[in-house]
């Protein structure tokens, strides 16, 4: 009995030591990670509207206030614990940003909304090609850093500048999926195509339809594939959404992200971002506190139009405005159309929310061609 009691005591000491080590590691991790600092918001500026006339013996109804002029500040108190972000997938071969998502992460309610911006979305710039996925590469070609110009376009499109941004290249995406141990996913249809990597080497991809375990290369191929979809890029966005949802479901059900610190470090070292590795780790832990049903993915409402020989996605203004306010707006005050600078369809013609179209000739010729 004495030997058994001694063995039990030793076992309890070992288990206690392991528990202390585990708690110490958790405490160190929690001390290391930290939320990003939100950018300082400008002081609230009072909107000056023409004074109401003095009342007379026969009072008249108050005039309807004019819309805010361009550049007018609006009441911008933040919702507690809400962060906005721009997530970009970069094609290193072409330099284009073929995956663009704007997100809102409510770390109080633990709810995530992600909205995909179609790669062909039209921008209000005077250029031969006005697709949003060419903005990043165009900036680099003119000596910029790419992300500043793209953030400006997202500001014009949504009415606010995202708090955080992250540009992910294909090689890092592959490395992350492999570090996570792969993802189980139901491939919607047969996918077969040749691809070229950043070194110019060609590869062959084949994915059979049905449930399978995807490593990094095949997950990348799944998310890039679009040639076989009847709906083109919209079909690709649907598959990307399903894949991201599968990733979230898989890791939320596990209750952890495998090798979370290693994943955060890979992202911190390879992303073009304004987040630190500790910020990324904090977001990862916040994500693990979400429920699967609280992660929502959407696509910007738009319609396909051909202008000057190029295919564009032109936003449906009012549906898009509703989506921005319900899914993305981090402020207490609704975003209005005059806070944006985008092109939209107005019947058979085109309009801009700021009252002008940059390089109007582009649209006038297009209308003439359609008529």
């Amino acid at each position: 009995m004495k030997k058994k009691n001694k063995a039990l005591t030793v076992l309890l000491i070992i288990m206690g030591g392991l528990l202390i080590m585990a708690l110490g590691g958790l405490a160190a991790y929690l001390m290391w990670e930290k939320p990003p600092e939100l950018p300082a918001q400008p002081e609230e500026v009072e909107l000056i509207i023409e004074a109401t006339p003095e009342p007379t013996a026969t009072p008249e109804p108050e005039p309807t206030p004019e819309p805010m002029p361009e550049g007018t500040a609006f009441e911008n108190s933040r919702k507690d614990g809400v962060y906005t972000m721009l997530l970009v997938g970069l094609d290193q071969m072409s330099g284009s940003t073929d995956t663009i998502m704007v997100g809102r992460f409510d770390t109080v309610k633990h709810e995530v909304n992600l909205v995909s911006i179609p790669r062909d979305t039209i921008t209000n710039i005077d250029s031969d090609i006005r697709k949003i996925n060419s903005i990043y590469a165009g900036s680099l070609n003119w000596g910029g850093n790419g992300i500043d110009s793209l953030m400006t376009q997202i500001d014009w499109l949504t009415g606010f500048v995202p708090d955080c941004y992250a540009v992910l290249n294909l090689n890092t995406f592959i490395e992350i999926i492999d570090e996570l141990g792969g993802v189980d996913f139901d491939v919607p249809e047969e996918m077969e195509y040749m691809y070229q990597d950043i070194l110019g080497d060609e590869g062959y991809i084949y994915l059979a339809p049905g449930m399978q375990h995807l490593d990094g290369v095949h997950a990348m191929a799944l998310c890039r594939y679009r040639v076989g979809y009847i709906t083109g890029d919209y079909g690709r966005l649907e598959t990307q959404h399903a894949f991201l949802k599968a990733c979230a479901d898989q890791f939320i059900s596990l209750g952890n992200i495998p090798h979370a610190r290693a994943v955060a470090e890979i992202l911190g070292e390879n992303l073009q971002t304004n987040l630190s590795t500790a910020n990324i780790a904090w977001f990862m832990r916040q994500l693990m506190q979400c429920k699967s049903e609280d992660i929502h993915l959407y696509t910007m409402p738009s319609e396909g139009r051909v202008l000057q020989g190029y295919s564009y996605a032109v936003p449906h203004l009012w549906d898009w405005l509703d989506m921005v306010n319900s899914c993305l707006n981090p402020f207490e005050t609704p975003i209005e159309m005059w806070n944006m600078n985008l092109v939209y369809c107005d019947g058979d013609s085109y309009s801009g929310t700021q009252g002008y179209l940059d390089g109007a000739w582009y649209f006038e010729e297009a209308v003439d061609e359609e008529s």
Side-chain angles (χ1 to χ4, degrees):
M1 290 295 294
K2 289 183 178 180
K3 290 182 178 180
K4 289 182 178 180
N5 290 336
K6 185 176 181 180
L8 179 61
T9 300
V10 172
L11 179 61
L12 290 174
I13 291 173
I14 293 173
M15 292 178 64
L18 292 174
L19 179 60
I20 290 172
M21 290 175 62
L23 292 175
L26 177 60
Y29 183 88
L30 294 178
M31 290 176 64
W32 168 67
E33 64 161 40
K34 62 178 181 179
E37 295 183 4
L38 289 171
Q41 298 300 321
E43 294 183 4
E44 181 181 340
V45 178
E46 182 180 358
L47 177 63
I48 300 176
I49 302 175
E50 184 178 351
T52 304
E54 292 294 328
T56 60
T58 308
E60 298 179 357
E62 293 186 5
T64 302
E66 294 294 324
M68 290 193 221
E70 179 184 356
T72 301
F74 61 98
E75 158 71 41
N76 59 354
S77 58
R78 295 285 304 231
K79 297 175 182 176
D80 291 339
V82 170
Y83 296 83
T84 56
M85 55 198 68
L86 170 63
L87 306 177
V88 177
L90 180 66
D91 185 333
Q92 292 142 288
M93 287 298 296
S94 65
S96 61
T97 51
D98 284 347
T99 298
I100 302 174
M101 291 184 172
V102 184
R104 183 179 71 188
F105 195 165
D106 188 330
T107 61
V108 176
K109 298 179 180 178
H110 287 98
E111 182 178 65
V112 179
N113 293 327
L114 285 173
V115 179
S116 289
I117 308 300
R119 52 182 275 170
D120 294 338
T121 298
I122 194 166
T123 57
N124 196 14
I125 60 173
D126 189 0
S127 174
D128 289 338
I129 301 177
R130 306 184 179 214
K131 298 184 179 186
I132 197 169
N133 75 328
S134 66
I135 296 295
Y136 185 93
S139 170
L140 293 178
N141 291 338
W142 286 94
N145 65 359
I147 192 62
D148 287 345
S149 294
L150 184 56
M151 287 280 276
T152 296
Q153 290 298 325
I154 296 301
D155 179 17
W156 288 6
L157 196 63
T158 63
F160 64 88
V161 178
D163 306 314
C164 319
Y165 64 81
V167 181
L168 178 72
N169 62 51
L170 298 179
N171 288 344
T172 304
F173 175 82
I174 292 171
E175 188 176 355
I176 290 296
I177 296 299
D178 287 339
E179 182 67 35
L180 292 172
V183 177
D184 296 325
F185 186 73
D186 189 2
V187 179
E189 62 181 69
E190 184 179 60
M191 300 181 182
E192 182 177 15
Y193 66 98
M194 297 294 295
Y195 73 94
Q196 197 173 51
D197 64 19
I198 189 172
L199 298 176
D201 297 328
E202 291 188 344
Y204 170 75
I205 284 293
Y206 176 78
L207 288 173
M211 182 63 71
Q212 49 193 295
H213 190 74
L214 301 179
D215 62 9
V217 170
H218 289 86
M220 177 272 294
L222 172 91
C223 291
R224 294 191 70 195
Y225 177 82
R226 70 185 186 119
V227 295
Y229 297 123
I230 296 176
T231 54
D233 195 45
Y234 291 97
R236 183 176 68 98
L237 292 179
E238 289 178 6
T239 299
Q240 288 181 355
H241 291 177
F243 179 76
L244 289 175
K245 198 71 165 63
C247 291
D249 291 346
Q250 180 171 319
F251 300 124
I252 288 174
S253 65
L254 287 175
N256 69 87
I257 296 178
H259 312 116
R261 183 156 186 163
V263 170
E265 289 175 349
I266 291 171
L267 290 171
E269 292 170 2
N270 293 279
L271 290 178
Q272 180 185 3
T273 183
N274 59 350
L275 297 173
S276 67
T277 302
N279 296 154
I280 295 170
W282 184 81
F283 274 126
M284 289 171 63
R285 187 171 65 83
Q286 295 298 317
L287 180 63
M288 294 311 302
Q289 298 178 59
C290 297
K291 296 179 181 178
S292 177
E293 59 268 25
D294 292 329
I295 298 176
H296 312 286
L297 296 110
Y298 309 92
T299 299
M300 185 190 78
S302 61
E303 66 178 88
R305 291 287 185 101
V306 176
L307 299 172
Q308 303 296 339
Y310 296 104
S311 297
Y312 289 101
V314 182
H316 289 159
L317 176 60
W318 303 114
D319 292 338
W320 173 235
L321 193 59
D322 287 343
M323 183 175 287
V324 166
N325 280 309
S326 61
C327 301
L328 296 176
N329 186 4
F331 302 110
E332 297 289 352
T333 301
I335 289 171
E336 304 289 353
M337 64 176 287
W338 47 81
N339 301 126
M340 301 174 171
N341 181 10
L342 57 82
V343 177
Y344 64 97
C345 292
D346 186 10
D348 293 330
S349 61
Y350 300 86
S351 298
T353 55
Q354 292 296 330
Y356 73 94
L357 295 172
D358 203 351
W361 62 269
Y362 199 86
F363 301 93
E364 291 170 357
E365 292 189 10
V367 171
D368 290 341
E369 290 175 1
E370 290 174 3
S371 59

